[in-house]
Amino acid sequence: MRKALIRRARRWLYVVHRWIGIATCLFFAMWFTSGLVMMYVAFPRLTDSERLSALPVTLWNKVQVAPDRAMAIAGAEHYPRDLRLSMMDDVPVYRVTGWKGGAVTISAIDGSVIDRIAPDQALAIARHHPRAVQPQLLDTVTRDQWSVTARFDPLRPLYLIGLGDADGTELYVSSRSGEIALDTTRQERVWNWLGSIPHWIYPTVLRKDGPLWRDVVLWISGVCLVVAVTGFWIGILRLHLTRRYADGAVSPYRGWMAWHHIAGLIGGIFIFTWMFSGWLSLNPGGAFSGRGVMREIAAGYSGHDTPDIVAGFRAAPSAQAVEARYVWIGGRPLVMLDDSNGRRSLADPVTGAPVTLSQDEIVAAARRAMPGAALISVRQLDEPDAYWYTLHHARELPVLRIAFDDPAHTWLHISPVSAEILDRSDDSRRSYRWLFNALHSLDFPLLLRISPARDVVVWLLSAVGTIVSISGIVIGWRRLRRRKVQRGHAPPSLKPAREAT
């Protein structure tokens, strides 16, 4: 009885792997090859440095509306997520962003709310871009492949403007606020059809519905996980290292089946962990905490939660800033200035004089950000470590890491230069760092320290995964063809009566 159950279980193991594998091997091959492209060409996004480089220097003499007045016009009753001043072509504007995602653009000349700009204004904004040669309006886009995600919703529709440069750069300018929302180059657009789009199953028709896209990818990757597990299990069952097969081989297979068996054993653990971590990236069941700085932490760090304390913002800073971000740190109003090269400094909003906050002042503000939690440690990182490093996105160094003893064991990473909270980390996010980033991107500290090592390891493992996938496709295709031929040559007794001879 026990042996019969084992035989039946093993038979179903083979059946499940065979037929689900035939259905999913194309996905495996697509993921392994597209992942290599993604190592070198990321999905288009507008970085801070790109955004700042396209802004003109702030004309402070045109600023007639104070920041506190702008907040009142925007209806901000609490500490905002963001309050910035920059130029929209030749008009200084405030951009006030709330914690629920709503944003209001206000003229700093007369306090009027700006909720629509004309195509000519969008072209004027694009001309300030450093790559602009001969800007031209190409289209008005509601949603396309590069602006498909919901984060662009408050900015739609978007003016698509070609800059006429050699790289084929195209800008997306919001028709509502005049902000540059995105830029893409010809190279990014071409390579992403071989990289991120197939890898993330990212066609516009599916990705425009976020919940549906998430469910589809979760189910596909979940089914592929079953294929990976059953395949590795079968590979072990069929491997004979001591009691070998008749010809002395460790595998009973030949040809493509042998490639599939041996490559699957060599790369089986990697294929499983890579699939598992990709599945986790969608945060199934909300297992991991969210990213970013929560409102409570930001408000506590600022030292207040109402906008009426900002009436002191008066004088124009002396720096040649393209953007001014008004902040409060430890109850002290400050202005954070960025120039077109991304250099950041702090200034007093009343006198415009440069300001430097000491580490003690930053730590005191951080204590306010985590009321009820004791401060455990303060450490300045001068070099990358396992949790603060540069791979796809640049990370500022040096940085202060301030740890607390709250239930989530929160860390705050704060810039010692600008005193800005750059990141929040807790036990959940640190687990995600190992379960997703390390297993999926192989950004282990040792591999990151040796520059070419990670690339070499990823290429080798991806090659093994591709061999498993392509051999599976060939095996599946041959099996399907064989079944078709067998059906076409069924014995006369099995044919319909009208076909019998």
Side-chain angles (χ1 to χ4, degrees):
M1 182 66 177
R2 182 170 176 271
K3 289 183 177 179
L5 288 174
I6 291 174
R7 282 197 300 270
R8 181 173 295 181
R10 182 175 290 194
R11 179 178 177 276
W12 276 106
L13 178 69
Y14 282 84
V15 169
V16 168
H17 179 71
R18 177 185 300 145
W19 294 110
I20 300 181
I22 288 174
T24 58
C25 266
L26 285 171
F27 283 106
F28 278 97
M30 176 186 72
W31 281 326
F32 285 118
T33 53
S34 60
L36 292 174
V37 175
M38 291 175 66
M39 289 175 61
Y40 306 103
V41 183
F43 194 77
R45 70 185 188 94
L46 185 71
T47 65
D48 258 356
S49 60
E50 290 170 337
R51 182 178 61 83
L52 293 170
S53 70
L55 293 175
V57 173
T58 304
L59 301 177
W60 296 100
N61 61 330
K62 287 191 171 186
V63 178
Q64 302 298 317
V65 176
D68 57 331
R69 177 61 183 152
M71 290 181 66
I73 294 170
E77 298 178 356
H78 299 285
Y79 184 77
R81 179 187 290 273
D82 211 7
L83 172 58
R84 299 173 186 257
L85 174 71
S86 60
M87 299 297 293
M88 190 179 74
D89 187 23
D90 59 350
V91 178
V93 295
Y94 288 102
R95 304 194 188 277
V96 186
T97 305
W99 286 96
K100 293 183 178 180
V104 181
T105 300
I106 298 163
S107 168
I109 296 177
D110 58 13
S112 60
V113 174
I114 298 172
D115 58 5
R116 187 69 57 187
I117 68 165
D120 288 347
Q121 291 174 288
L123 286 169
I125 292 166
R127 289 189 187 100
H128 293 284
H129 196 283
R131 292 184 181 178
V133 176
Q134 191 174 357
Q136 181 180 0
L137 181 65
L138 303 178
D139 198 2
T140 300
V141 175
T142 300
R143 189 187 307 268
D144 68 0
Q145 185 63 64
W146 317 115
S147 62
V148 67
T149 58
R151 66 188 179 91
F152 294 103
D153 288 351
L155 306 174
R156 304 184 198 278
L158 303 165
Y159 292 124
L160 179 61
I161 298 173
L163 297 186
D165 62 328
D167 293 329
T169 304
E170 294 178 358
L171 293 187
Y172 291 74
V173 178
S174 171
S175 66
R176 293 188 182 182
S177 66
E179 296 175 78
I180 296 177
L182 179 67
D183 65 352
T184 70
T185 63
R186 185 183 300 108
Q187 177 176 299
E188 287 176 330
R189 294 190 294 273
V190 170
W191 280 106
N192 267 277
W193 284 103
L194 302 175
S196 298
I197 294 172
H199 195 84
W200 294 338
I201 313 179
Y202 225 59
T204 305
V205 66
L206 176 63
R207 186 58 185 88
K208 67 181 181 181
D209 186 336
L212 175 62
W213 168 80
R214 183 176 179 275
D215 288 343
V216 168
V217 178
L218 270 173
W219 276 101
I220 290 175
S221 55
V223 169
C224 289
L225 265 175
V226 174
V227 175
V229 172
T230 55
F232 192 61
W233 191 356
I234 291 170
I236 292 173
L237 290 175
R238 302 295 283 165
L239 182 70
H240 288 186
L241 293 176
T242 53
R243 190 168 54 86
R244 300 195 175 192
Y245 292 94
D247 57 356
V250 298
S251 172
Y253 304 114
R254 295 292 179 270
W256 283 105
M257 284 290 290
W259 280 102
H260 192 71
H261 184 204
I262 300 304
L265 285 170
I266 293 172
I269 297 296
F270 160 70
I271 293 172
F272 169 73
T273 57
W274 193 75
M275 283 301 309
F276 177 67
S277 57
W279 181 73
L280 282 182
S281 70
L282 294 161
N283 197 12
F288 300 99
S289 61
R291 299 174 179 171
V293 180
M294 296 178 293
R295 180 188 176 279
E296 293 76 12
I297 291 177
Y301 188 69
S302 72
H304 79 92
D305 195 29
T306 55
D308 57 352
I309 303 178
V310 302
F313 291 113
R314 289 288 182 267
S318 57
Q320 292 294 300
V322 297
E323 186 171 76
R325 182 181 173 195
Y326 294 97
V327 298
W328 298 257
I329 298 175
R332 179 177 180 179
L334 295 165
V335 60
M336 195 177 294
L337 303 172
D338 287 314
D339 66 15
S340 58
N341 295 313
R343 287 187 293 264
R344 179 165 291 175
S345 60
L346 285 176
D348 184 284
V350 176
T351 66
V355 172
T356 301
L357 295 184
S358 68
Q359 182 171 306
D360 288 343
E361 290 175 295
I362 294 173
V363 171
R367 287 179 184 272
R368 294 174 127 182
M370 296 293 296
L375 187 147
I376 297 176
S377 64
V378 178
R379 178 186 173 196
Q380 177 167 308
L381 301 180
D382 296 308
E383 297 180 351
D385 72 355
Y387 297 99
W388 191 261
Y389 58 94
T390 292
L391 181 58
H392 301 298
H393 308 301
R395 289 287 181 87
E396 180 178 330
L397 283 171
V399 68
L400 295 177
R401 175 179 291 160
I402 304 178
F404 298 88
D405 73 345
D406 61 305
H409 300 104
T410 300
W411 293 353
L412 298 180
H413 289 102
I414 301 178
S415 167
V417 176
S418 65
E420 179 183 13
I421 300 179
L422 302 174
D423 181 57
R424 174 190 60 85
S425 175
D426 58 18
D427 285 338
S428 178
R429 296 310 304 176
R430 291 190 287 276
S431 297
Y432 184 84
R433 181 263 179 272
W434 294 110
L435 291 173
F436 172 67
N437 297 96
L439 295 181
H440 206 74
S441 300
L442 299 185
D443 52 2
F444 294 97
L446 178 61
L447 294 179
L448 290 174
R449 282 197 295 269
I450 307 171
S451 179
R454 176 180 167 274
D455 285 23
V456 171
V457 171
V458 172
W459 272 90
L460 288 174
L461 291 175
S462 296
V464 172
T466 303
I467 290 171
V468 175
S469 307
I470 292 176
S471 59
I473 292 170
V474 174
I475 294 165
W477 174 252
R478 288 178 173 177
R479 176 169 287 276
L480 291 174
R481 286 190 63 190
R482 188 162 61 247
R483 285 177 65 87
K484 183 178 180 181
V485 170
Q486 288 172 349
R487 285 198 301 270
H489 294 81
S493 61
L494 299 180
K495 292 184 179 182
R498 65 177 180 274
E499 295 182 7
T501 57

